[in-house]
Amino acid sequence: MFISCNASDALDKLRFLSVTEPNLLNDGFDLDIRIQTDKDNGIITLTDTGIGMTRQELVDCLGTIAQSGTAKFLKTLKDSKDAGSDSNLIGQFGVGFYSAFLVSERVEVSTKSPKSDKQYVWEGEVNSSSYTIREETDAAKLIPRGTRLTLYLKRDDKGFAHPEKIQKLVKNYSQFVSFPIYTWQEKGYTKEVEVDDDPAEANKDEQDGTTEKKKKTKTVVERYWDWELTNETQPIWLRNPKEVTTDEYNEFYKNTFNEYLEPLASSHFTTEGEVEFRSILYVPSIAATGKDDIVNPKTKNIRLYVKRVFISDDFDGELFPRYLSFIKGVVDSNDLPLNVSREILQESRIVRIMRKRLVRKAFDMILGITMSEDKDDYVKFWENFGKHIKLGCIEDRENHKRIAPLLRFFSSQSEEDMISLDEYVENMKTDQKDIYYIAADSVASARNAPFLETLAEKDIEVLFLVDPIDEVAIQNLKSYKEKNFVDISKEDLDLGDKNEEKEKEIKQEFGQTCDWIKKRLADKVASVQISNRLRSSPCVLASGKFGWSANMERLMKAQTVGDPSSLEFMRSRRVFEINPEHPIIKTLNAACKSSPNDEEALRAIDLLYDAALISSGFTPESPAQLGGKIYEMMNMALLGKWGETSTNVFHQQPENPGSDHVPEIVEAEVVEPAEAGGQKQ
């Protein structure tokens, strides 16, 4: 707090006043901040070469809580109509200095103003109701200008006095303060030093008569202490975007977010008007590993700064919605208070405006990837963040128009490469009014679904929704470019090719059969209808208009916390559709008219329903019972063709089961009972 507010403001004030009073900088000292630590004794010393304070200013600013010297200075500028001359001043409330007592048992402030010949020292202790101000008389402690703050840390907080800890804190919170910040760090360099000879070897050399020998050396590290620049004084987002190269953007991204791959895209912009802020946003190359950001909106991907001072990176959807939580970047605002809290972020009108504009810029950036010359860029983006975008269809109705062009799906005419909704609309037939889709667990399942037969024959493209979130996303989207999304697995599919006279004839021919099948299936189906979507399949089981599809029913059953009662409630009515052109249906039609009570015909209806259940994507209630029906039908078919011969072959026994005799292999033949008996005797 002292670095970002007190020290930075003091330097800013001096720089501003020196414009009209150049003599304030006559001493020639640079404007900077220096931090030195004594980790053994737990002491931190922070020194700035700013404006300093007089004795009266010490009393007014440090001796009075909530008395801000910066706020008073800005008021003076405002009264003199120069308020806009310097907007980098941060302090507002006059309480930042007192945060030093959170970790210190004693605080000492030594300050020298260029307007005064004397240097004064302010001292205060924790849990004390008073403070002291005295004149500095120790020549060794005199400073030419500015303020020196000395913190005598509490025993439990002496870890803050470690040089590496200080350096880390400065880089995190004060990285982009306008003035250079130096920290006192231990450094080292290597050098070669001579090594004394071993006495035994020296005596041996004398005996051998060796007079000249090269001296031995070794490499050692020489340690020393020196000042090290810790911050960057010019944030990249404050620079003109035209002056920043792509390499500089990528380097900033890698250093700030500890990434090793370059981002897919970046956006550097400034928003002015009602709310002013600067920002750089990035789209990562790959999704985060080890956690699912689509479930947990809490990420550290957005770093919020207020007047270049880092505030927080711990957000829960305040700046970006959950589905855009993968976006990384920095946001720097001059309109937010420095002590911004979670409550302020949630309730602030400024933050709501910032969020809306950040989301808009994020969509523009993603749309730019779709227009990239390298098509693999968006393929890579979709593989990593496609689920996030689909989630946006569910959670953000306001941005449906921005989200929809980004969606990608497989289709009946593009099973290898995903297509956009724009490409689908462009490929639509002239008389096609709707966008057709089917939800399944894989492209192969969708391709082989019986619902697709008529549409495939008419060369109408159908979107394949194979991701669990796809169906819900499309249902929330409802339409695209005034064309409704239609699920081809639902009842009453209208393909715009109705022939009323032909339908009337078919209903007269098969109406009795439909009633017969409905009576047999009872409550298993809501109705039995003539289908207009089948070509090669005898029947299909369509879902009701307003319930779950077969795919959604399967997904909801798989939920670990699913409620069985809600599953039963949401399960849609099922419509059994038959294909009047199929031989099986024609045979059943004949059976209905000639022998409606025939057991084999009724069992065929049951098996037909179970087969339709599976081919339509539903799960049979009793797989074992279905298996039994299939085995029974197989047995009937096999017995009808090979039953008599197979019976004789399979039941033939050896003459003497206990003997080792191997019977001669002969061709199977039909043997009369008398001959068989004579052979046994």
Side-chain angles (χ1 to χ4, degrees):
M1 183 62 76
F2 174 81
I3 299 170
S4 301
C5 293
N6 303 80
S8 177
D9 283 358
L11 292 164
D12 265 322
K13 291 176 191 176
L14 180 62
R15 184 169 60 181
F16 179 83
L17 293 175
S18 65
V19 175
T20 55
E21 302 178 58
N23 60 308
L24 294 177
L25 297 177
N26 284 344
D27 48 29
F29 286 93
D30 294 332
L31 300 177
D32 59 27
I33 303 169
R34 296 179 183 268
I35 309 172
Q36 192 168 10
T37 61
D38 181 354
K39 64 180 181 180
D40 296 329
N41 297 311
I43 300 174
I44 301 177
T45 303
L46 305 95
T47 306
D48 70 72
T49 56
I51 192 64
M53 289 178 281
T54 62
R55 189 183 191 284
Q56 187 58 44
E57 288 172 335
L58 277 175
V59 174
D60 293 341
C61 298
L62 302 189
T64 306
I65 296 179
Q67 176 70 29
S68 172
T70 299
K72 184 178 179 182
F73 182 75
L74 287 173
K75 186 177 183 303
T76 303
L77 293 180
K78 185 176 181 180
D79 294 340
S80 64
K81 299 182 180 180
D82 288 331
S85 299
D86 196 323
S87 60
N88 292 330
L89 296 172
I90 297 171
Q92 299 178 44
F93 305 105
V95 295
F97 165 76
Y98 296 97
S99 63
F101 288 101
L102 294 174
V103 295
S104 307
E105 57 184 16
R106 182 163 67 93
V107 177
E108 181 181 291
V109 180
S110 183
T111 181
K112 169 71 167 61
S113 171
K115 298 179 181 180
S116 174
D117 296 332
K118 296 181 180 180
Q119 180 174 328
Y120 294 96
V121 179
W122 182 99
E123 288 186 74
E125 295 185 4
V126 69
N127 299 326
S128 175
S129 59
S130 62
Y131 61 89
T132 62
I133 297 179
R134 59 179 174 82
E135 183 181 344
E136 182 61 79
T137 56
D138 188 348
K141 296 182 179 180
L142 293 177
I143 56 177
R145 182 191 70 226
T147 301
R148 178 190 294 126
L149 173 70
T150 305
L151 306 178
Y152 297 88
L153 301 178
K154 298 175 182 177
R155 184 177 62 180
D156 294 340
D157 297 310
K158 288 187 177 181
F160 286 108
H162 198 285
E164 293 181 359
K165 179 72 173 179
I166 290 294
Q167 189 177 52
K168 183 178 179 181
L169 289 172
V170 170
K171 286 186 174 181
N172 192 32
Y173 291 96
S174 302
Q175 173 77 353
F176 302 109
V177 168
S178 299
F179 301 95
I181 302 174
Y182 296 91
T183 55
W184 190 246
Q185 298 291 335
E186 184 180 20
K187 300 183 178 183
Y189 65 92
T190 59
K191 68 176 184 178
E192 298 289 331
V193 296
E194 295 182 359
V195 180
D196 294 336
D197 293 335
D198 186 357
E201 292 185 3
N203 293 334
K204 183 178 180 181
D205 291 340
E206 290 178 0
Q207 293 175 2
D208 294 342
T210 305
T211 56
E212 292 185 4
K213 185 180 180 182
K214 188 177 181 180
K215 293 185 177 181
K216 294 182 178 180
T217 62
K218 67 175 181 178
T219 302
V220 296
V221 179
E222 190 74 19
R223 297 288 180 181
Y224 69 99
W225 289 82
D226 197 3
W227 294 108
E228 181 177 311
L229 181 65
T230 306
N231 70 321
E232 298 177 17
T233 57
Q234 178 63 28
I236 189 173
W237 61 82
L238 294 182
R239 295 166 57 185
N240 188 335
K242 296 180 180 179
E243 299 175 355
V244 185
T245 65
T246 302
D247 290 340
E248 288 178 306
Y249 282 128
N250 294 344
E251 191 64 26
F252 175 77
Y253 168 76
K254 292 178 181 178
N255 293 336
T256 305
F257 300 103
N258 296 320
E259 293 284 350
Y260 62 93
L261 294 176
E262 295 181 352
L264 281 176
S266 63
S267 177
H268 183 184
F269 59 93
T270 300
T271 300
E272 297 177 345
E274 192 175 4
V275 174
E276 181 179 346
F277 66 91
R278 295 172 180 266
S279 178
I280 300 180
L281 300 179
Y282 295 94
V283 176
S285 295
I286 58 173
T289 56
K291 61 180 179 180
D292 198 352
D293 287 339
I294 196 171
V295 175
N296 180 17
K298 285 190 175 183
T299 67
K300 294 186 178 295
N301 291 341
I302 299 297
R303 295 175 62 85
L304 176 63
Y305 291 80
V306 174
K307 297 182 179 180
R308 307 172 316 284
V309 178
F310 174 68
I311 300 300
S312 177
D313 59 1
D314 183 18
F315 297 106
D316 191 6
E318 289 86 1
L319 292 178
F320 274 100
R322 178 168 69 153
Y323 68 94
L324 290 178
S325 59
F326 62 90
I327 297 291
K328 297 187 177 185
V330 296
V331 179
D332 188 359
S333 170
N334 289 339
D335 297 324
L336 288 172
L338 196 64
N339 65 336
V340 62
S341 63
R342 175 62 52 79
E343 290 74 19
I344 292 176
L345 287 173
Q346 291 174 344
E347 299 176 5
S348 172
R349 176 174 167 274
I350 295 174
V351 173
R352 288 197 296 271
I353 296 174
M354 289 174 60
R355 173 189 165 109
K356 185 177 293 186
R357 294 181 181 176
L358 286 169
V359 169
R360 192 178 305 162
K361 287 293 184 180
F363 277 124
D364 292 343
M365 181 170 53
I366 297 172
L367 190 62
I369 302 177
T370 66
M371 300 176 181
S372 172
E373 294 181 359
D374 188 353
K375 299 300 181 183
D376 290 338
D377 285 348
Y378 197 73
V379 172
K380 185 187 297 184
F381 169 83
W382 190 254
E383 288 175 353
N384 285 278
F385 307 111
K387 285 185 174 65
H388 291 74
I389 302 301
K390 294 171 187 175
L391 181 64
C393 295
I394 304 170
E395 296 188 342
D396 192 355
R397 294 182 181 274
E398 293 182 3
N399 285 303
H400 274 180
K401 290 184 178 180
R402 292 187 174 92
I403 295 172
L406 305 177
L407 298 174
R408 296 291 184 272
F409 302 100
F410 292 110
S411 78
S412 57
Q413 297 180 8
S414 181
E415 296 184 8
E416 298 295 331
D417 300 321
M418 289 186 165
I419 64 169
S420 66
L421 295 179
D422 286 320
E423 290 174 303
Y424 181 95
V425 172
E426 186 178 342
N427 296 334
M428 286 175 63
K429 300 297 181 182
T430 307
D431 56 345
Q432 185 179 341
K433 298 178 181 179
D434 301 314
I435 300 175
Y436 299 108
Y437 71 88
I438 184 171
D441 59 350
S442 67
V443 171
S445 297
R447 181 204 313 129
N448 297 319
F451 303 102
L452 208 66
E453 292 174 0
T454 298
L455 289 104
E457 185 180 85
K458 294 177 177 291
D459 197 30
I460 297 176
E461 190 169 18
V462 178
L463 296 177
F464 291 166
L465 311 188
V466 296
D467 202 358
I469 197 176
D470 285 352
E471 187 173 359
V472 183
I474 287 296
Q475 288 173 352
N476 278 269
L477 206 57
K478 295 183 180 179
S479 65
Y480 182 69
K481 291 187 175 180
E482 299 181 354
K483 299 184 184 300
N484 295 325
F485 289 101
V486 174
D487 186 350
I488 65 171
S489 69
K490 296 293 184 74
E491 64 176 325
D492 296 335
L493 178 65
D494 183 9
L495 299 178
D497 58 349
K498 287 187 176 182
N499 187 331
E500 293 183 1
E501 292 185 3
K502 184 178 181 180
E503 287 183 3
K504 187 176 180 180
E505 292 177 2
I506 293 175
K507 284 183 179 179
Q508 288 179 349
E509 173 68 20
F510 290 89
Q512 184 180 350
T513 303
C514 289
D515 296 337
W516 177 55
I517 295 174
K518 173 66 175 76
K519 182 179 178 180
R520 176 63 179 179
L521 297 179
D523 294 336
K524 291 181 180 179
V525 297
S527 64
V528 178
Q529 300 177 5
I530 305 298
S531 179
N532 65 339
R533 71 181 98 206
L534 298 178
R535 286 294 180 268
S536 59
S537 299
C539 59
V540 74
L541 205 59
S543 304
K545 279 185 177 181
F546 305 105
W548 286 337
S549 66
N551 182 68
M552 184 57 66
E553 189 174 317
R554 174 182 61 84
L555 293 174
M556 296 309 295
K557 282 182 178 179
Q559 300 298 314
T560 55
V561 292
D563 183 6
S565 60
S566 66
L567 290 175
E568 190 64 30
F569 176 75
M570 286 300 298
R571 192 176 71 174
S572 66
R573 61 194 295 270
R574 297 173 181 175
V575 178
F576 191 69
E577 296 185 3
I578 60 173
N579 179 7
E581 302 296 330
H582 198 278
I584 293 178
I585 301 302
K586 290 180 178 179
T587 303
L588 286 176
N589 187 46
C592 172
K593 294 178 179 179
S594 61
S595 52
N597 296 322
D598 184 82
E599 286 299 323
E600 290 187 7
L602 294 175
R603 284 200 302 270
I605 293 175
D606 294 338
L607 187 60
L608 204 62
Y609 169 79
D610 290 333
L613 199 70
I614 295 175
S615 65
S616 302
F618 294 98
T619 304
E621 296 179 0
S622 177
Q625 188 177 3
L626 173 59
K629 293 178 183 178
I630 295 174
Y631 297 150
E632 182 182 357
M633 297 293 288
M634 289 177 61
N635 187 46
M636 292 173 61
L638 291 173
L639 285 175
K641 191 170 185 179
W642 299 292
E644 191 176 359
T645 304
S646 301
T647 302
N648 285 282
V649 173
F650 294 150
H651 288 81
Q652 185 176 2
Q653 299 291 333
E655 292 184 5
N656 186 358
S659 68
D660 295 330
H661 173 70
V662 179
E664 182 182 357
I665 299 176
V666 296
E667 292 183 2
E669 60 179 346
V670 179
V671 181
E672 295 295 332
E675 296 180 12
Q679 187 178 5
K680 265 189 144 183
Q681 296 172 355

